[in-house]
């Protein structure tokens, strides 16, 4: 990070408040390898005045799809894959981050005054072309430049938005009552790619951790509320390229929604995480986040969930699972990411290889991390068992 | 370069040979000099008599290459001066000719010693070499004690002695003296002439002595008269006259 | 290469002639110093301008600007959310005053700025960072904080259009480019809206757009808003300051010319003076090349020393000048955010190159001469003196041709300012070439015609002048040019002043003028309260009130000030007419009535000149109802704004812009009360208003305007003085040297029986005579320069037609200046001459 740049102001806001906004591209250059990463951004003490995830709470839908501004940070995270008519595989990702820079919204004459800022990241992976494109947006919330609402559902930052559609989703009997939010539509366009996708929940909401309370370190309150919808039937169009090279690709596939809010995240003894969301052809899903301690080992607060086809779930504790990096990829910025893993979860008889479909899926944005489409392979046969997303930070 | 050009002891048998030399200024009807034939042997002293404006000084300038004749030939040590470019003439002049003027023409901003050393420096001698040789030269005119004085701190006689030392320091084969006593009183004039003859003789150089004074001319081996631009025989050859025995009387009034 | 002894001899020469050495050095030093000073000041001003523009406008491709009321902030939200124009940044800005100086309060959205990649700052210390977005919190650059003597957490008191504001300094930031942040008070956009009372409104939206987006946006943009290329805006501003800088550069080149002549003169002289020495050296056997090298080496020493000193002096001078130059830019154009002195490496290099180059070049001619001339003629007599005389006819011809071409160029029908300056340069250089031969001819002529009339002493004086011309000619030319420059600039400034004053008298038809502070700034603000204006009208002693509105509007010509003049509320017996305030230069028949009827507009002269607008042309305005095209009824002379003013009837303005605001008032008394009484009554009423209201009598405005004018032109006065100073040193040197060289001659005169007093008189008389000639020659050139400056350069640069006024005082001053300089220069030699001991000097040689 270069000194003497406005980004520093925000970075320091970020560091002080421990929110996930850190912006480095202040002079138009791509951030240097020394640039801030998510772990740094999420470190630090929580600010007084924010609410904290202390106890198990009850979730109400669709209200909890909307914002929780009394917590410092919150995100709407959709990752997924799709295939075009020629069966080419694509990955995509959209994230809206909400960051409160002060606990209370001020009452002031100017409509621009407020306490919330937003950041959004999006990416698309074209496996056949070996292409990974990423983009970001940031904005203050006021006056109406970015925000979120539960009913009607809407999360937006400029013209990037995730909106609830009037028609009902295929809720089905499998859904556990009020958890469904219906159909959502994503619309975003960056300079060199765009996503126009509709999501339809195909599994009920899964509350992660202890009934939705996801402890991130030993100290109380250092936790978040966390739920997922592990399967969303997805259809729509990807646009890749710009100008004359623009390709509009109709796709259908499957997505995963993660929703999380809280006031602090990483403990001082944590250096980053590896987050897996895997959707198996058998209809079952696995989510596991490995929090790494400063030695690079598995931190005790790591946690996961095994989800059956009917939506019933089992908690995966760190002792239940073994994750071993097999292969590393070095980014142009000099970061080394493990892009091939051995995953051993005897609880479900899983002994897999989880491998990136494209090594270079680094999100080289203001905050640098790796987030990309992966496949789940059977080690002996090499048979593909499923697809998923992997997020790696702190490398 | 330095060792090559800093030569101060070299001799050649026939010194100067002038044939058919003529010179005139642009637009002037009568030439300043016409049909000059003159030769000078090594070690010979020639006195050139003539009245003011007869062309004596011009002749010296032609010989030294300060001015260039349109016609004729000037051979010094077998080198033809006419036809040489200015630079070559200058180089020839500074190596082989010593010049003494009526008005001394010392550089006012250099000391007596430096005035002498300048000639050596121009001939490529190093500063140290020059200083040693110049000091010797100054000693030969008995002015060691005035080495650090500027010209305007010296008397006329002293200045001319410095000029003599300067003219001889690089052991030129030819010395040209233009009214060397013209600006001096009788006493110092005699002293200067005695010194000049002695030093020229000691170095075996040839000398042309321009003067309008018979007494000064008396010390020469040969006297020629320059009249209306033509060279005529003077009043005979005085081969045995010893320079120190010449007793030039007091010159006429100062030239200006 | 060069003999050490010869170098030593040169050093001793200057050791003995210290005066000469010092003068040569002073010549080079002053020449270099003036050029560098002006160049540095210019460069600083230009950089300040660029940085200020960048600080305020940023590196964006386009901007959206609004009408008088700014832009509704909803437009920005739509841009982001509906059009997806992410690379966009809202700005709320206005000038505020702190401790009597204007600064730009810039309200930005930090995240949008991040997107555009500008205004990147580094925060010093561990401030309460989240607090930066708190209400009433501003950020100051470190330099500015130091200037204002407030630190982090301190309180900043600002004045905004007469309203006092209080803000907390949330942080002091360092900036990669400290100069850029120098004049900015930065605030979050919310804070700025609140401080400036602009909630809901933006002043502009800066954008980075590609071609497709431009089309889409232009189509979408609500009426009343304009999409402007930021480039073109910058360029129109830059063009105007460019002209200003060109004027200054011309002055510095003039100083350079004078300095160059001076350097040439002293160096030539020092070579000529020692021709005996060169001759002796040549006779001794020094080659021409050795002499050349010696003289060049000598010159190099002078050039290096003089240039170095000149650089130092120039930097010091420039510090003083830059304030004046920046002041002018401020007064004429806009408030600069950046005011830092900038040591432009290019200027320094240029100055150094000039000093070295000119010195070596000017010594090259005499040095070549000394080296090439055969030793015989060097010994014989002054070769150059003869050559100088032989050159007289050629110089006369060359000078005359140059001046003729210059004059022809000036008369050409062109609007190129540069061409104007080329013409001016040709006139001046031609003149320089002419001076020595003309002086020679003058002297000879005088001798022939009136030779017998004068006593031998005067004849001797005249001959002495002619004899020394090869050494004094150039110094004389330099003095002439410098004096001519003061005449030319003096006449130009005086003409400008007179014209401005006349215009003010014509324009200020009212008795009392009322406005809010910030009247001339680009955004109108809320204006005067209508109720208060109504109550003013009820005051006894007021015959009529004229309301006007001055706002900035986007037109096809770029941003232009629109002046809406009101229908006057008359009381019986008054004749105040709106159009009377706008002295017309050219108009269609019935322009006055048609203007009042709202059938057209008037265009100010600078705008008309720049855009080639003539009466009958059309102007298009972008207003809410769409594009409105109106005929230009006439051109009025205007010195308010070089950017142009369009005047129209207030009724038409209200109809087009739906703006009822009142920027200012002109009050007409009915004669019942004296002006002072009326002023008093109005002031009492104004005191009841919450806001600061400016009230001036028309005389007061005139006074203030003229004071502003004088301040603006202060820099030209300083430059004139500097140029004359350089010339003075030149003439001092040249005259002194010539006279000192003549000491022998004077000794002879003393010896032949002239008294000491006579000798002194001879020397003084001679220098005085030369000064007088230089002065007389300077007058025609000065008038010529004034003519070109007034009718060619000012017209082309600013579009201002000035009425030439020739103040005879300026002419007399010029003569006195030349005479004084010459006389002063003669004092020392005359004193020396009087004390010369004939015997000693005669003996010396």
């Amino acid at each position: 990070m270069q000194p003497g740049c406005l980004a520093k102001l925000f970075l320091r806001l970020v560091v002080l408040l421990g929110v996930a906004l850190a912006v480095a591209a202040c002079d138009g250059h791509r951030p240097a390898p020394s640039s801030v990463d998510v772990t740094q951004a999420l470190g630090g003490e929580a600010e007084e005045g924010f609410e904290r995830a202390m106890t198990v709470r009850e979730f109400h839908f669709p209200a909890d799809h909307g914002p929780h501004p009394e917590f410092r940070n919150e995100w709407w995270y959709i990752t997924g894959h799709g295939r075009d008519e020629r069966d080419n595989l694509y990955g995509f990702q959209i994230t809206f981050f909400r960051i409160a820079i002060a606990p209370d919204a001020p009452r002031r004459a100017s409509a621009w005054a407020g306490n919330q800022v937003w950041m959004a990241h999006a990416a698309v992976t074209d496996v056949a072309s070996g292409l990974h494109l990423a983009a970001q947006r940031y904005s203050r919330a006021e006056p109406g430049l970015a925000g979120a609402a539960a009913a009607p559902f809407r999360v937006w930052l400029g013209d990037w938005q995730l909106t609830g559609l009037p028609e009902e989703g295929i809720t089905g009997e499998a859904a556990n009552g009020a958890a469904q939010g219906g159909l959502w539509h994503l619309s975003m366009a960056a300079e060199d790619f765009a996503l126009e996708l509709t999501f339809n929940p195909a599994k009920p909401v899964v509350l992660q951790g202890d009934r939705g309370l996801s402890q991130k370190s030993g100290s109380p309150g250092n936790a978040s509320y966390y739920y997922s919808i592990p399967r969303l039937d997805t259809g729509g169009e990807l646009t890749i390229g710009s100008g004359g090279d623009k390709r509009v690709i109709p796709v259908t596939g499957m997505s995963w929604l993660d929703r999380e809010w809280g006031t602090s995240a990483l403990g001082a003894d944590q250096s980053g995480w590896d987050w897996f969301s895997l959707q198996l052809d058998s209809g079952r899903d696995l989510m596991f986040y490995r929090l790494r301690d400063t030695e690079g080992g598995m931190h005790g607060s790591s946690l996961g969930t095994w989800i059956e086809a009917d939506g019933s779930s089992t908690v995966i504790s760190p002792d239940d699972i073994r994750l071993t990096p097999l292969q590393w990829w070095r980014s142009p910025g000099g970061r080394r990411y493990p892009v091939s893993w051995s995953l051993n979860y005897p609880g479900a008889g899983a002994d897999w290889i989880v491998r990136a479909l494209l090594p270079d899926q680094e999100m080289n944005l203001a905050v640098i991390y790796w987030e990309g489409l992966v496949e789940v392979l059977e080690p002996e046969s090499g048979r593909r068992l499923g697809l998923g997303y992997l997020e790696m930070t702190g490398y | 370069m330095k060792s090559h050009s800093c030569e101060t002891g070299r001799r050649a048998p026939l010194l100067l040979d002038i044939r058919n030399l003529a010179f005139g200024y642009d637009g002037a009807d009568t030439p300043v000099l016409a049909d000059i034939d003159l030769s000078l042997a090594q070690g010979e002293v020639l006195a050139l008599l003539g009245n003011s404006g007869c062309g004596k000084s011009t002749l010296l300038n032609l010989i030294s290459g300060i001015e260039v004749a349109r016609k004729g030939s000037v051979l010094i040590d077998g080198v033809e001066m006419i036809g040489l470019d200015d630079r070559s003439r200058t180089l020839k002049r500074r190596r082989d000719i010593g010049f003494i003027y009526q008005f001394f023409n010392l550089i006012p901003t250099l000391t007596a010693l430096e005035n002498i050393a300048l000639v050596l420096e121009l001939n490529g001698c190093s500063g140290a070499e020059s200083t040693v040789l110049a000091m010797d030269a100054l000693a030969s005119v008995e002015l060691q004690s005035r080495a650090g004085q500027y010209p305007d701190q010296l008397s006329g006689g002293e200045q001319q002695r410095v000029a003599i030392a300067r003219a001889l320091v690089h052991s030129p084969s030819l010395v040209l003296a233009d009214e060397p006593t013209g600006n001096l009183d009788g006493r110092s004039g005699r002293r200067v002439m005695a010194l000049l003859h002695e030093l020229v003789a000691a170095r075996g150089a040839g000398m042309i002595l321009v003067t309008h004074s018979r007494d000064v001319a008396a010390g020469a081996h040969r006297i020629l008269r320059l009249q209306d631009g033509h060279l005529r025989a003077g009043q005979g050859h005085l081969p045995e006259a010893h320079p120190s025995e010449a007793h030039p009387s007091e010159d006429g009034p100062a030239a200006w | 290469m060069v003999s050490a002894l010869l170098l030593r001899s040169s050093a001793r020469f200057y050791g003995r002639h210290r005066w000469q050495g010092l003068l040569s050095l002073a010549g080079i030093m002053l020449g270099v110093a003036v050029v560098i000073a002006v160049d540095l000041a210019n460069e600083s001003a230009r950089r300040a301008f660029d940085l200020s523009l960048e600080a305020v406008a940023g590196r964006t491709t386009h901007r959206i600007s609004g009408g008088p009321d700014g832009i509704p902030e909803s437009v920005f939200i739509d841009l982001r959310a509906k059009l997806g124009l992410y690379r966009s940044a809202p700005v709320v800005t206005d000038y505020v005053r702190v401790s009597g100086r204007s600064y730009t309060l810039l309200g930005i959205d930090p995240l949008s700025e991040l997107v555009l990649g500008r205004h990147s700052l580094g925060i010093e210390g561990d401030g309460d960072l989240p607090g930066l977005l708190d209400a009433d919190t501003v950020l100051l650059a470190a330099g500015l904080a130091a200037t204002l003597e407030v630190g982090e957490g301190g309180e900043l008191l600002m004045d905004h259009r007469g309203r006092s504001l209080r803000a907390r300094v949330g942080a002091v930031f360092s900036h990669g480019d400290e100069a850029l942040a120098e004049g900015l008070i930065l605030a979050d956009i919310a804070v700025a809206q609140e401080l400036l009372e602009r909630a809901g409104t933006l002043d502009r939206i800066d954008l980075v757009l590609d071609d497709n987006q431009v089309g889409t946006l232009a189509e979408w943009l609500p009426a009343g808003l304009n999409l402007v290329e930021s480039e073109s805006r910058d360029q129109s501003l830059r063009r105007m300051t460019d002209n200003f800088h060109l004027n200054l550069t011309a002055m510095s080149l003039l100083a350079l010319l004078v300095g160059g002549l001076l350097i040439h003169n002293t160096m030539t002289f020092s070579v000529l003076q020692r021709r005996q020495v060169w001759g002796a050296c040549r006779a001794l056997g020094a080659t021409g090349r050795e002499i050349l090298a010696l003289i060049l080496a000598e010159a190099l020493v002078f050039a290096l020393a003089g240039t170095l000193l000149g650089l130092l002096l120039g930097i010091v001078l420039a510090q003083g000048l830059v304030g004046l130059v920046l002041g002018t830019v401020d007064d004429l154009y806009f408030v600069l955010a950046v005011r830092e002195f900038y040591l432009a490496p290019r200027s320094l290099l240029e100055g150094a190159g000039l000093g070295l180059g000119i010195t070596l070049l000017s010594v090259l001619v005499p040095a070549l001469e000394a080296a090439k001339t055969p030793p015989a003629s060097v010994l014989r007599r002054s070769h150059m003196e003869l050559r100088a005389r032989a050159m007289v006819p050629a110089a006369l011809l060359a000078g005359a041709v140059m001046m003729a071409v210059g004059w022809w160029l000036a008369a050409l029908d062109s609007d190129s300012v540069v061409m104007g300056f080329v013409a001016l340069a040709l006139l001046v250089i031609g003149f320089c070439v002419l001076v020595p031969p003309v002086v020679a001819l003058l002297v000879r002529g005088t001798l022939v015609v009136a030779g017998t009339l004068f006593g031998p002493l005067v004849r001797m004086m005249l001959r002495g002048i002619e004899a020394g011309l090869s050494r004094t000619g150039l110094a004389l030319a330099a003095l002439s040019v410098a004096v001519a420059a003061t005449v030319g600039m003096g006449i130009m400034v005086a003409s400008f002043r007179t014209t401005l004053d006349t215009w003010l008298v014509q324009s200020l038809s009212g008795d009392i003028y009322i406005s809010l502070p910030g009247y001339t700034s680009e955004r109108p603000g809320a204006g005067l309260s209508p109720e208060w204006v109504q109550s003013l009208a009820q005051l006894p002693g007021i015959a009529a009130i004229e309301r006007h509105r001055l706002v900035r509007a986007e037109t096809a010509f770029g941003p232009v000030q629109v002046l809406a003049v009101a229908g006057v509320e008359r009381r019986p017996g008054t004749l105040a007419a709106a159009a009377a305030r706008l002295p017309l230069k050219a108009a269609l028949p019935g322009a006055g009535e048609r203007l009042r009827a709202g059938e057209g507009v008037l265009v100010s002269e600078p705008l008309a000149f720049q855009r080639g607008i003539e009466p009958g042309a059309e102007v298009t305005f972008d207003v809410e109802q769409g594009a409105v095209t109106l005929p230009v009824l006439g051109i009025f002379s205007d010195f308010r704004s070089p950017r142009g003013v369009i005047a129209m009837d207030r009724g038409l303005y209200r109809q087009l812009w739906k703006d009822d605001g009142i920027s200012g008032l002109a009050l007409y008394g009915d004669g019942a009360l004296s002006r002072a009484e009326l002023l008093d009554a109005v002031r009492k009423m104004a005191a009841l208003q919450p806001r600061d209201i400016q009230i001036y009598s028309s005389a007061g405005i005139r006074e203030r305007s003229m004071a502003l004018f004088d301040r603006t032109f202060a820099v030209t006065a300083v430059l004139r003085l500097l140029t004359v100073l350089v010339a003075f040193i030149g003439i001092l040197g040249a005259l002194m040297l010539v006279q000192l060289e003549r000491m022998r001659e004077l000794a002879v005169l003393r010896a032949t029986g002239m008294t000491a007093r006579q000798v002194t008189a001879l020397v003084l008389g001679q220098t005085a005579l030369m000064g007088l000639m230089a002065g007389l020659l300077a007058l025609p050139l000065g008038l010529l320069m004034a003519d070109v400056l007034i009718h060619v350069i000012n017209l082309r640069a600013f579009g201002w037609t000035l009425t030439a006024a020739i103040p005879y005082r300026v002419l007399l001053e010029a003569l006195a200046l030349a005479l004084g300089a010459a006389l002063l220069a003669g004092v020392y030699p005359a004193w020396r001459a009087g004390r010369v001991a004939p015997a000693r000097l005669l003996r010396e040689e």
Side-chain angles (χ1 to χ4, degrees), chain C residues 680-703:
Chain C
D680 231 35
V682 174
R683 289 224 164 105
K684 273 188 193 131
M685 283 201 60
L688 301 174
Q689 285 288 301
R691 284 197 169 188
D692 195 14
I693 291 173
Q694 291 177 336
I695 299 161
Y696 294 106
S697 64
S698 50
I701 293 190
R702 218 175 119 195
E703 234 166 66

Side-chain angles (χ1 to χ4, degrees), chain C residues 315-598:
Chain C
I315 290 171
V316 173
L317 274 177
Q319 312 248 16
L321 277 183
V322 72
L324 290 170
V325 174
L326 285 176
T328 305
V329 172
D330 254 10
D331 292 340
L332 280 181
Y333 304 105
F334 75 128
V335 179
L336 289 175
V338 184
R339 317 196 57 92
E340 200 189 55
F341 177 65
Y342 171 57
L343 213 53
R346 198 180 55 83
S347 302
L348 293 180
L349 275 179
E350 256 174 34
L354 271 171
L356 291 173
I358 289 208
T359 307
L360 290 178
L361 214 65
S362 61
V363 88
L364 194 62
V365 179
L368 278 175
E369 203 78 42
K372 266 191 195 148
T373 328
S377 59
V378 174
L379 284 174
R380 212 165 40 234
R381 69 181 101 171
S382 167
H383 186 76
M384 288 190 79
E385 209 94 324
L386 287 176
R387 271 179 48 115
R389 267 182 232 194
M391 298 249 300
V392 165
L396 272 176
L397 185 68
V401 166
M402 275 201 211
M403 288 191 78
V405 171
W407 187 242
W408 173 73
L409 274 182
L412 272 187
D413 187 23
S414 147
D415 58 359
S416 156
V417 179
V418 176
M419 198 55 108
F421 278 117
V422 169
L424 196 60
L426 276 174
L427 281 174
V428 170
I429 294 171
F431 176 82
C432 282
V433 177
L434 273 182
V435 166
V438 166
V439 170
L441 287 180
L442 271 179
V443 170
R444 262 183 250 170
T446 316
L447 278 172
V448 169
V449 173
T452 49
L453 280 179
F454 304 126
L457 198 61
V458 174
R459 283 208 300 274
M460 211 168 356
M461 272 185 207
L462 288 168
R463 281 208 199 96
I465 292 176
E466 200 197 343
L469 217 50
S470 69
R471 274 153 286 170
T472 51
L474 285 175
L476 265 183
L479 182 63
S480 260
V481 167
V483 171
T486 72
V487 171
M489 290 300 281
I491 291 178
M492 193 274 278
V493 172
S495 302
F496 200 161
R497 209 172 187 282
T498 314
T499 312
L500 182 67
D501 198 37
T502 313
W503 176 79
L504 281 170
V505 170
Q506 284 177 352
S507 312
L508 298 172
S509 55
D511 294 314
I512 292 174
Y513 286 84
I514 297 172
S515 62
L516 288 172
Y519 167 71
T520 49
S521 79
E522 295 191 339
R523 222 183 49 212
L528 293 162
S529 113
E531 297 78 34
W532 185 72
V533 173
Q534 208 49 52
S535 60
L536 259 186
Q538 304 309 316
L539 267 186
I542 291 192
I545 291 187
E546 184 185 294
R547 295 149 205 245
H548 56 263
R549 183 73 163 150
L550 189 65
V551 296
R552 196 178 64 106
E554 294 290 344
T555 65
F557 309 128
V560 165
Q561 284 193 317
V562 168
L563 175 71
V565 264
V568 178
E569 286 178 14
R570 287 163 209 242
R571 285 192 184 172
T574 56
L575 278 169
R581 301 182 64 249
L582 308 168
L584 291 179
K585 284 263 154 192
L588 297 178
E593 282 77 45
R594 291 183 64 192
L595 180 72
R596 256 163 275 152

Side-chain angles (χ1 to χ4, degrees), chain B residues 86 93-94 101 114 121 150, chain C residues 3 8 12 282-283 290:
Chain B
D86 177 64
R93 174 163 70 241
R94 78 181 177 200
Y101 303 89
E114 287 166 351
E121 273 209 16
Y150 288 97
Chain C
S3 153
R8 202 184 296 172
R12 290 208 189 113
R282 291 282 279 128
E290 278 161 344

Side-chain angles (χ1 to χ4, degrees), chain A residues 4-7 9-10 12-13 16 23 25-26 101 108-113 117 136-140 143-145 158-159, chain C residues 73 76-77 80-81 84 86 90 109-111 114 117 119-122 125-126 129-130 133-135 188-191 193-194 202:
Chain A
C5 105
L6 183 66
L9 192 168
F10 274 86
R12 290 180 59 177
L13 283 175
L16 264 176
V23 198
C26 68
I101 54 176
R108 284 168 50 185
S110 170
W112 294 74
V117 295
Q136 66 187 338
R137 292 284 187 265
Y138 27 83
S139 173
R140 64 204 290 156
L145 294 169
D159 63 337
Chain C
E73 64 194 12
F76 183 76
I77 301 165
R80 282 285 184 88
Y86 178 58
D109 167 32
L111 283 178
L114 217 51
H119 299 310
S120 32
L121 324 164
D126 273 330
L129 289 169
L133 301 181
D134 287 356
D188 180 59
I189 193 162
V191 175
Q193 276 191 344
E194 288 158 3
L202 304 175

Side-chain angles (χ1 to χ4, degrees), chain B residues 52 102-103 179 182-184 212 252-256:
Chain B
S52 293
Q102 178 180 356
F103 295 112
E179 300 275 14
N183 215 28
L184 299 175
H212 62 272
W256 73 278

Side-chain angles (χ1 to χ4, degrees), chain B residues 138-150:
Chain B
L138 208 53
S140 70
V141 294
E142 291 160 27
L143 283 174
Q144 307 99 300
S145 57
R146 316 301 301 265
Q149 310 280 340
Y150 288 97

Side-chain angles (χ1 to χ4, degrees), chain C residues 763-831:
Chain C
V763 172
L764 271 184
Q766 205 167 49
T767 59
L769 213 55
M770 292 171 79
L772 192 66
M773 280 195 271
L776 284 173
L777 285 173
L779 295 185
L781 178 68
L783 290 170
L784 219 57
M785 282 170 84
D787 197 51
V788 174
L789 283 172
I790 291 171
H791 293 122
V792 180
I793 290 173
N794 262 291
L795 182 67
R796 290 180 189 175
F798 302 105
W800 286 329
T801 313
L802 307 181
T803 318
I806 300 178
Y808 291 96
R809 202 174 45 85
V810 169
L811 302 186
L812 286 178
E813 271 172 11
L815 271 184
L817 193 66
L819 198 59
L823 263 179
L824 206 56
V827 167
Y828 177 70
W831 177 78

